Every structure is written in C-alpha cells, then in structure tokens.
C-alpha cells in the first residue's frame, strides 16, 4: 500500500479556487477542442485533488462528499464543462473503491493518480456474454465524459440477454485503455468541453474480478469485497452518492452565471442611458435568482451532510436524496434561464461567456438520472405507499 497523505477540507477548497484561476483562461479553447485540454487534466492531478475520495490505504485523502461538492462548485464556476469532468474523475475513484482488492490493485498500485471514465449507456445491439472466468464483450457505449484522457473506463454490462431483453446479470466492468477505442461522436451545442465520446470494444474479455454486481450496488450499497475499504464513505447505494458530482457542477455553473450577470448589471447602461441597476425589475430578478440558488445550495448541503453522516441509506432515503438532486437541478436551470431572459440580446453573442453557462447548465440538467418526472414518480410512490416499478428501481 501507499503512504497515507493528509489534506483538510479547507485546504482542498483553496486548491480548487487556485485551480479555477488556472482553468478559466482556457474557456474558449475547451469549446473548440470539444474536450478538456491536457493541461487542465494535468492541473487536476498536480493539485492532488484527484485523490480527494481515494481510500487512504491507496495514498488518497479519503475526504467526504462535502469536499467533492465544494471543490466541484469552485471549478464549475470557472468553467462548467471542466467542473463536470473534474467531479466525475473524483467520483469514479470513489466507485473503484467498491471493487475487489485485485481490481483496485490493477489501477492504483500502478498509478495512484489514475483517471477513470464511465459509461452506463450500452447500445442495444451490443454482444455481452458470460465466459469462463469472466465476460466477453463487443459493442459501443455512449456518453463517456472525459474518456479521451482516461486510463480506465467503467461500463455497464447487461449479460446474456434473453428474447425479452432481460439480462441474466447486470454488472459494472472495469476496462483498461488498451482494450477500448474512442469514437469522436461528441458534436453538441452544450457541454462541449466534456468530451463525452463513445467507446468501442471488439471481442474484449473482462475477468470476473474486475466486475461488480450493479443491482446490489445500486440497491444496497454493496461492493465486491467488504474487507477492503471499511470506511462508511464506501457503503452508499451508487446513485445516492455518485450524482452528487453532477449536481455540484450544475450548481457551481449556475452560481458562476449569477455572479457574472450580477457584476455586469452594476455598470451596464441601457439604450436610454439609464443605469440597468436602477431598474426595479432587475433588482427583483437579482433577489429571485439569488434566493433560488441559495435554496438549491442549502438543499445540496443537506444531502452531503447526510452522505457524510455514516448512517445507512435505505430505499426510501435513497429516493429522497435523488428527489432532492433532481429538484436542485430544476431550480438551477430555472434560475439560469431567468438570468438569460433578463440579460438582453447581447448575451447571445458567441463572445459572451454567459451564453456558455446557459448552454452547459441546460445540457447538464437533461441528464437522465436528474429527470424530475422519473425520479419524482419513484419518490411519490414510495411516499404514498405504492409499490415501485421493479424495472425503474432495479439499478436506480
């Protein structure tokens, strides 16, 4: 094992603020590249923050979700797409800590700063079958944010599908960079800098020890080997913890948009030579937007406090947390749209950074795991004592 390192929450947030100043000047080049510049990924690593939630026994800091949240907000305020990739790189190391000792050793014994992507979006025509000692896979997986710079990728495997499309097993699999190819499919109007490309596997064998039962993980927070990382940090149902990274980014980007808009109002003059800050309706909009974001932030603080408390999370509590993630996202999306609606036509120029925040928040809020209708229906049923749809809740 590696020597343990020390880092406090406060020190981590300061490092994230320094990161933000390094990243912000790359705002434009990130959009043009359609993925993060290599310099930005290296900055994440050099800051040490890539190890924020890595177990101490592997040379990490083993800090909690509050640190992931607060550092993610700071990075996303500077660049929403950079924040998205940053928080995902962190949360993916948290996910690896649920895998077997042997799988963790494959990654962290070789490189304690290893970068990991994910994709839980297998294409319908993929071929995924059980084989002796593991699984054999061929096909495509989409929406793998930051994969261009990653050493490994975690993918979803729906194994041995029957004629009704039901899988004998649903597992998460750890795949090394040498076993997948990247298809440059990320041509979007939002989140351009996330580089959420498609990966291709051609007749790849995945040993059993590099997999985890996705159903047990999602429903009960169970990993492959409870003997390895015993901290309560690694005991949560997958989506109760994982989605904190996406929502931290959305909130950080929304705060970044608000601060940019608020500061621009102070010195802006209308066509009638009136100070925009003197308009009553603008003053009211500032109050309304800032209150919405303050409410979203308070709700997020409540979530991470719950995650860091060490108390077990049952199905009802998991759905309550997921409801809150979706509602925070809804509050942020509405707040940023209000900002744009109150900014005038000048905000639509490509040279305006505000339209970038708007596009990225809109794109981020469309992530399927944050859909308020879907998540709201599941929570509503649980709240009202109605049986949940097994297909909805199997790996949610």
């Amino acid at each position: 094992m590696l020597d343990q390192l020390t880092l406090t929450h406060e020190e981590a947030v300061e490092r994230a603020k320094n990161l933000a100043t390094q990243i912000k000047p790359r705002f434009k080049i990130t959009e043009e590249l359609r993925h993060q510049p290599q310099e930005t990924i290296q900055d994440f690593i050099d800051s040490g923050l890539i190890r924020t939630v890595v177990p101490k026994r592997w040379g990490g800091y083993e800090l909690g979700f509050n640190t992931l949240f607060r550092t993610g907000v700071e990075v996303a305020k500077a660049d929403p797409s950079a924040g998205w990739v940053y928080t995902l790189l962190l949360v993916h190391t948290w996910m690896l800590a649920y895998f077997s000792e042997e799988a963790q050793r494959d990654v962290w014994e070789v490189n304690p700063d290893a970068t990991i992507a994910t994709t839980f979006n297998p294409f319908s025509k993929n071929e995924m079958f059980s084989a002796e000692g593991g699984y054999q896979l061929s096909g495509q997986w989409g929406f793998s944010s930051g994969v261009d710079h990653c050493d490994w990728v975690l993918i979803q495997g729906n194994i041995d599908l029957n004629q009704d499309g039901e899988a004998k097993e649903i597992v998460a699999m750890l795949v090394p960079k040498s076993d997948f190819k990247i298809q440059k499919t990320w041509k979007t109007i939002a989140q351009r800098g996330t580089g959420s490309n498609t990966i291709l596997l051609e007749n790849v064998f995945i040993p059993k020890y590099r997999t985890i039962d996705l159903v047990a993980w999602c429903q009960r927070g169970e990993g492959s080997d409870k003997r390895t990382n015993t901290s309560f940090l690694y005991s949560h149902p997958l989506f109760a913890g994982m989605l904190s990274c996406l929502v931290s980014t959305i909130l950080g980007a929304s705060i970044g948009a608000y601060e940019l808009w608020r500061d621009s109002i102070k010195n802006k003059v209308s066509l009638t030579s009136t100070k925009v800050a003197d308009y009553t309706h603008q003053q009211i909009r500032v109050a309304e937007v800032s209150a919405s974001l303050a409410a979203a932030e308070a709700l997020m603080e409540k979530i991470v406090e719950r995650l860091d408390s060490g108390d077990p999370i049952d199905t009802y509590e998991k759905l309550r947390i997921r409801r809150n993630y979706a509602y925070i996202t809804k509050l942020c999306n509405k707040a940023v749209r209000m900002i744009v609606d109150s900014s005038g036509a000048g905000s639509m120029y490509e040279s305006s950074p505000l339209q970038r925040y708007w596009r990225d928040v809109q794109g981020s809020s469309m992530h399927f795991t944050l859909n308020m209708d879907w998540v709201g229906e599941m929570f509503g049923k649980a709240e009202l004592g109605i049986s949940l749809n097994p297909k909805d809740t199997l790996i949610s």
Side-chain angles (χ1 to χ4, degrees), residues 231-244:
S231 168
F232 68 82
L233 178 62
Y234 312 111
S235 64
H236 297 313
L238 176 59
F239 288 114
M242 180 186 179
L243 298 182
S244 63

Side-chain angles (χ1 to χ4, degrees), residues 1 3 30 32 53 92 111 124 145 166 192 197 209 235 247 257 274 277 282 286 288 307 320 374 381 388:
M1 300 303 165
D3 293 337
T30 298
E32 294 172 352
V53 290
H92 294 160
N111 179 9
S124 59
S145 300
E166 297 174 339
R192 289 174 179 168
N197 286 304
Y209 77 85
S235 64
V247 182
T274 304
Q282 285 291 71
V286 166
E288 190 172 0
L307 292 172
R320 190 181 71 84
W374 176 46
K381 284 180 177 178
L388 296 167

Side-chain angles (χ1 to χ4, degrees), residues 103-121:
Q104 293 175 54
R105 187 180 299 115
D106 282 354
V107 178
W108 282 322
E109 197 166 70
V110 175
N111 179 9
D113 292 319
T115 49
I116 308 167
T118 55
T119 166
F120 286 175
N121 293 277

Side-chain angles (χ1 to χ4, degrees), residues 2 70 190 193:
L2 299 173
R70 286 298 174 188

